[in-house]
């Protein structure tokens, strides 16, 4: 990790959650500036947000893009599992931005950039701070996040039984 004055730190992974694409890193330093996730509860469709990341790992430092909140409470399914309560934004979220903050214009970290739809333009997603905080706390305290699972899966019974004819 490199801080704003160009110092480099070795980082230790404290914990990671592959499904939400969140991780906690520990570095041997103190008195560093930081921000806390907060504020996604009051976020509305149409609010301006800023996505910070390291798009495509390009040289020259972080990237910053601006956009609006296009949707709230989105759910998408990835190869690793289902992400829910996502913030949809048209701020550019590209490969490499994952893990960077999605910030409102008051400086609140309202989400953590995590995904984009490759088949669409201008549709990116961030894990809301409401979802991220308990995961991050579990990673800090336990080194892992355990998702509750009841063991049930839903399906469309009529479609599964072939009760509808296709045109």
């Amino acid at each position: 990790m490199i801080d704003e004055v160009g110092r480099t730190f070795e980082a230790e992974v404290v914990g990671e959650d592959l499904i939400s694409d969140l991780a906690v890193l520990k570095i041997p330093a103190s008195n560093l500036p930081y921000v806390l996730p907060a504020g996604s509860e009051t976020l509305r469709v149409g609010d301006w947000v800023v996505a910070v990341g390291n798009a495509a790992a390009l040289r020259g430092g972080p990237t910053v893009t601006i956009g609006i909140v296009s949707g709230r409470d989105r759910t998408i399914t990835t190869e690793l599992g289902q992400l829910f309560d996502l913030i949809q934004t048209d701020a550019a979220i590209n490969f490499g931005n994952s893990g960077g903050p999605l910030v409102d214009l008051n400086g609140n970290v309202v989400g953590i950039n995590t995904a984009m739809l490759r088949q669409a333009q201008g549709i990116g997603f961030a894990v809301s701070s409401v979802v991220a905080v308990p995961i991050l706390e579990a990673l800090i305290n336990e080194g892992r996040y355990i998702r509750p699972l009841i063991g049930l899966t839903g399906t469309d019974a009529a479609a599964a039984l072939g009760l509808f004819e296709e045109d």
Side-chain angles (χ1 to χ4, degrees), residues 15-159:
E16 61 185 328
D17 179 54
L18 296 177
I19 293 174
S20 64
D21 198 24
L22 296 173
V24 173
L25 304 176
K26 180 179 181 180
I27 60 173
S30 58
N31 299 322
L32 295 174
Y34 62 92
V35 293
L36 296 172
S40 68
E41 305 87 4
T42 60
L43 199 61
R44 299 174 315 199
V45 172
D47 284 352
W48 288 93
V49 288
V50 176
V52 181
N54 189 19
L58 297 171
R59 289 185 51 202
T63 57
V64 178
T65 59
I66 191 164
I68 62 166
V69 173
S70 308
R72 293 287 324 267
D73 197 26
R74 299 292 198 223
T75 301
I76 61 172
T77 302
T78 70
E79 59 275 355
L80 297 175
Q82 200 169 57
L83 295 169
F84 62 94
D85 195 23
L86 296 172
I87 299 165
Q88 179 183 326
T89 180
D90 67 350
I93 296 178
N94 298 298
F95 178 78
N97 282 30
S98 187
L102 186 70
V103 182
D104 69 14
L105 296 185
N106 294 318
N108 297 312
V109 177
V110 294
I112 308 295
N113 304 326
T114 192
M116 63 179 180
L117 285 183
R118 295 185 195 279
Q119 67 271 28
Q121 284 188 327
I123 299 180
F125 299 95
V127 175
S128 72
S129 63
V130 171
V131 171
V133 167
I135 295 172
L136 294 171
E137 287 174 348
L139 295 177
I140 291 167
N141 296 324
E142 309 295 328
R144 63 191 176 130
Y145 179 71
I146 299 173
R147 284 182 169 66
L149 180 62
I150 197 168
L152 300 174
T153 303
T155 188
D156 182 340

